[in-house]
Amino acid sequence: YLNKKPAGKTDFYEYAFDGGLKLNVPSDWNSQLPELKYYEGTVWYAKHFDAPKEQNGRLFIYFAAVSYRCKVYLNGKEIAAHEGGFTPFQVEVTGLVKDTDNFLALEVNNTRTADAIPAKSFDWWNYGGITRDVMLISTPKVFIQDYFIQLDKHRSNQINAQVKVSDSQANVAVTVEIPELNIKQKLLTDQQGIARASIANVKHLQRWSPENPRRYNVRVSAAADAVDEMIGFRNLAVKGTRVYLNDKPIFLKSISFHEEIPQRKGRAFSEADATMLLSEAMALGCNMIRLAHYPQNEYTVRTAEKMGFLLWEETPIWQGIDFENQETKKKAGNMIKEMVMRDKNRCALSFWGMANETKPSAARNEFLSYLIKCTKEIDSTRLITAAFDLVRFDRSKQRFVMDDPFIKEIDVVAINKYMGWYHPWPVTPDKAIWEVATDKPLIISEFGAEALYGKTGDADVASSWSEDYQAQLYKDNLEMFKNIPNLTGISPWVLFDFRSPFRFHPTYQEGWNRKGLVSDQGFRKKAWYIIADYYKNIK
Ligand code: GCU
């Protein structure tokens, strides 16, 4: 990172950036060179840049994500380090940049470790690299550091706004404007540099919904800084065993996808990628996306909101996490705060997911309760959920049941259950009655089976890996879902075949998890049409 060059006759260095591999940024490295497909380790990136001409006070370098951990060096000095492959971070470089030829180097490492999040084994590809945008941002001396603007949780005509200016500056004049709603609030920051407003009796507000994803231009200004952002306003609540959007019960027609473009065998990172993934969900008739299993890029989140999808976001607390490790707990807290900080102004964001398929234990319960606390420190308005996979069939009761102490801490219970795939049917689907968390809304957050596109076979032979078997399994599960009294939504696993180091059956998988309703080449399997029909007709 010192970028030393040989000077005298006897100098030599066993490294150089000039003449090295060229890697695209943003993009994972695995998809850029065959020899990097499985690469797990360290890659050094470097870039020369000139300071921007127009600088009006302060300069920051912003990384939308680097997977999985990195150190940042500028002109020979370490200026930042970050762990977590799916959330943004930034570093102020005011006064550290020269007019020309600044040297930025990143040491990026994606080696899996037992104390990380995710830990050593997870069912998706371990893409490494500077996987999302990098930006050089100049701001005025006093700038708008953060804001949180949303419809009040309980009132449909009150907008709450909170604006924080840099360095906790007090007595700074702040304006919040929403021209289409005739709102123009003049505020002053307090001793913590925060200005607050509860704007009551808002007239003619069109609340955001999947049918009408209405957003408003909101302008926040303070001192010489101003930010324009499109923000939607909606009410979201749990009443009994249903989720209510804008005071009406809603059935969640969800789907999951990983942050991956299968045809490119690479991580999705652009607006075009987001549009491709979300257009397929729109065609399927969904009104919600469970963004599996980590915070996906902002293009996906913002495009989903524009198109009218409710969102579930989660950090990769996936199965085996070192719940006993206090360092890991701190990391998890930081990660979930970075996620909530980034997306708290996205009205489409409805569910914060705390975990996926974790086993009950005192340490796990304590760890996840801490994550709920971290989440609510920033946003106490959205619904807290978690996906569990320990529903079992109780033969004596002839019921599907699950007891997990963590259920009482969350608003909506989510269950992953692969009836007909990992679990043979103990009774016929029409007799598969559920009695799980019956006082809360329940989402089936995963179900499905693998099928190789184009493979035909017997609809009752799992080992055929056929579209017919997958389609029949979907029909059977939809039949069973009629017997879940508190069902408020479903989210089949998964929209697209995706890459995984777990999935190496030589004929049917070859490194792909084939549970997609759409193949890795973009072809819709028979089960796709079963869900499309179900979503079209469900009330
Ligand atoms: C689990 C897990 C998914 C995984 C899926 C599968 O439920 O949540 O990440 O891909 O099952 O087995 O395909």
Side-chain angles (χ1 to χ4, degrees):
Y1 58 86
L2 298 171
N3 200 24
K4 282 191 174 170
K5 299 277 174 44
K9 289 204 169 73
T10 56
D11 285 352
F12 76 93
Y13 295 103
E14 293 188 67
Y15 80 91
F17 283 99
D18 307 340
L21 290 175
K22 290 276 181 271
L23 284 176
N24 294 325
V25 171
S27 171
D28 60 273
W29 62 57
N30 313 71
S31 58
Q32 296 195 51
L33 290 161
E35 55 268 46
L36 294 179
K37 173 177 177 180
Y38 295 98
Y39 183 69
E40 193 170 273
T42 295
V43 169
W44 281 86
Y45 289 79
K47 183 176 181 63
H48 296 261
F49 69 94
D50 297 342
K53 294 285 166 290
E54 91 295 336
Q55 280 187 54
N56 50 5
R58 302 171 70 167
L59 211 52
F60 296 81
I61 302 181
Y62 169 89
F63 297 89
V66 180
S67 178
Y68 164 81
R69 54 178 76 76
C70 69
K71 285 188 180 163
V72 183
Y73 303 88
L74 179 63
N75 299 332
K77 279 207 281 311
E78 181 179 339
I79 58 168
H82 186 264
E83 177 171 348
F86 305 98
T87 45
F89 62 100
Q90 63 195 33
V91 54
E92 180 157 12
V93 294
T94 313
L96 300 181
V97 295
K98 307 175 289 185
D99 285 349
T100 58
D101 197 28
N102 292 281
F103 184 69
L104 177 68
L106 265 84
E107 176 186 1
V108 180
N109 177 282
N110 72 334
T111 305
R112 287 160 299 131
T113 59
D115 67 342
I117 301 155
K120 293 202 67 134
S121 70
F122 44 89
D123 194 17
W124 65 87
W125 207 259
N126 180 27
Y127 291 113
I130 306 177
T131 48
R132 295 181 191 160
D133 290 329
V134 180
M135 299 179 197
L136 189 59
I137 297 166
S138 92
T139 72
K141 275 205 179 341
V142 176
F143 60 91
I144 297 159
Q145 181 175 328
D146 187 36
Y147 52 88
F148 189 2
I149 299 170
Q150 63 172 172
L151 196 58
D152 183 80
K153 181 162 177 68
H154 305 291
R155 293 178 188 80
S156 58
N157 64 354
Q158 176 174 318
I159 290 175
N160 299 325
Q162 183 175 297
V163 179
K164 182 166 173 45
V165 300
S166 49
D167 307 311
S168 305
Q169 299 244 0
N171 303 318
V172 174
V174 170
T175 309
V176 175
E177 295 172 81
I178 313 178
E180 294 161 283
L181 296 174
N182 293 321
I183 288 174
K184 180 163 185 166
Q185 290 276 320
K186 288 184 175 302
L187 312 167
L188 214 52
T189 56
D190 61 17
Q191 295 310 311
Q192 283 75 40
I194 296 175
R196 291 184 179 79
S198 293
I199 306 162
N201 301 320
V202 176
K203 299 257 182 302
H204 314 306
L205 175 73
Q206 283 186 35
R207 289 185 288 181
W208 180 94
S209 70
E211 298 74 31
N212 177 20
R214 181 76 164 85
R215 299 174 306 153
Y216 290 84
N217 182 44
V218 178
R219 162 164 280 237
V220 180
S221 37
D225 199 9
V227 179
D228 285 294
E229 174 146 29
M230 294 301 287
I231 293 182
F233 300 98
R234 54 100 185 97
N235 293 107
L236 183 76
V238 160
K239 289 185 185 131
T241 61
R242 294 310 299 269
V243 169
Y244 278 65
L245 176 72
N246 300 333
D247 314 316
K248 287 202 298 290
I250 182 169
F251 188 83
L252 303 165
K253 303 184 278 189
S254 183
I255 194 77
S256 275
F257 52 67
H258 270 292
E259 187 173 51
E260 182 181 73
I261 299 298
Q263 296 85 352
R264 197 173 66 220
K265 291 189 187 164
R267 185 147 277 172
F269 59 79
S270 67
E271 185 161 13
D273 290 343
T275 305
M276 188 291 274
L277 298 170
L278 291 162
S279 300
E280 188 58 39
M282 187 60 82
L284 186 60
C286 302
N287 61 13
M288 174 167 148
I289 311 281
R290 178 191 176 197
L291 292 172
H293 281 297
Y294 35 75
Q296 300 196 13
N297 67 78
E298 274 204 272
Y299 294 110
T300 296
V301 172
R302 288 171 182 267
T303 307
E305 179 176 77
K306 201 161 78 179
M307 291 171 75
F309 292 103
L310 293 160
L311 292 174
W312 159 330
E313 255 193 327
E314 57 193 40
T315 56
I317 301 287
W318 191 91
Q319 294 187 6
I321 297 290
D322 188 355
F323 290 120
E324 313 275 345
N325 183 323
Q326 291 312 302
E327 275 311 298
T328 302
K329 186 169 125 185
K330 235 165 37 201
K331 280 182 217 173
N334 289 339
M335 209 175 272
I336 208 160
K337 283 184 198 168
E338 288 172 347
M339 172 177 80
V340 178
M341 277 302 281
R342 188 193 77 173
D343 292 340
K344 62 183 180 290
N345 288 306
R346 302 277 69 79
C347 71
L349 228 301
S350 304
F351 301 90
W352 297 122
M354 294 300 117
N356 185 70
E357 302 188 347
T358 56
K359 301 218 173 327
S361 74
R364 173 270 224 164
N365 297 348
E366 205 270 326
F367 192 108
L368 297 188
S369 300
Y370 171 68
L371 294 190
I372 293 181
K373 188 170 93 44
C374 292
T375 300
K376 290 190 169 177
E377 264 170 35
I378 302 167
D379 169 34
S380 58
T381 66
R382 290 178 172 85
L383 303 179
I384 302 287
T385 187
F388 303 87
D389 67 330
L390 297 177
V391 164
R392 59 184 174 77
F393 186 67
D394 179 326
R395 288 199 177 283
S396 63
K397 294 175 74 172
Q398 287 292 296
R399 289 282 182 280
F400 284 83
V401 297
M402 180 181 86
D403 36 36
D404 186 315
F406 189 60
I407 288 180
K408 66 180 178 312
E409 307 225 11
I410 56 181
D411 301 309
V412 176
V413 174
I415 303 295
N416 298 347
K417 193 69 189 171
Y418 287 86
M419 290 314 298
W421 189 250
Y422 296 126
H423 313 284
W425 290 93
V427 289
T428 51
D430 59 319
K431 296 208 176 31
I433 317 288
W434 284 47
E435 209 173 276
V436 176
T438 49
D439 60 333
K440 291 183 190 254
L442 186 146
I443 296 175
I444 294 289
S445 40
E446 287 185 34
F447 72 97
E450 301 211 22
L452 185 63
Y453 174 73
K455 179 81 170 52
T456 56
D458 299 341
D460 58 353
V461 177
S463 57
S464 70
W465 295 72
S466 68
E467 286 190 53
D468 305 288
Y469 184 83
Q470 187 191 40
Q472 183 55 51
L473 181 139
Y474 266 74
K475 285 179 193 151
D476 293 344
N477 276 274
L478 293 180
E479 183 60 32
M480 172 174 74
F481 296 157
K482 293 175 187 167
N483 305 326
I484 305 178
N486 50 333
L487 184 71
T488 194
I490 69 166
S491 192
W493 185 260
V494 68
L495 187 51
F496 300 94
D497 289 353
F498 64 92
R499 300 176 70 203
S500 167
F502 283 9
R503 311 292 176 171
F504 269 95
H505 186 293
T507 324
Y508 300 120
Q509 294 179 317
E510 300 168 292
W512 292 89
N513 181 315
R514 299 279 186 205
K515 293 193 181 71
L517 292 175
V518 182
S519 76
D520 58 298
Q521 292 305 309
F523 296 109
R524 292 168 180 168
K525 302 173 192 173
K526 287 180 180 167
W528 187 97
Y529 298 92
I530 291 169
I531 290 297
D533 185 53
Y534 178 74
Y535 281 169
K536 201 164 73 220
N537 297 312
I538 189 95
K539 286 292 159 276

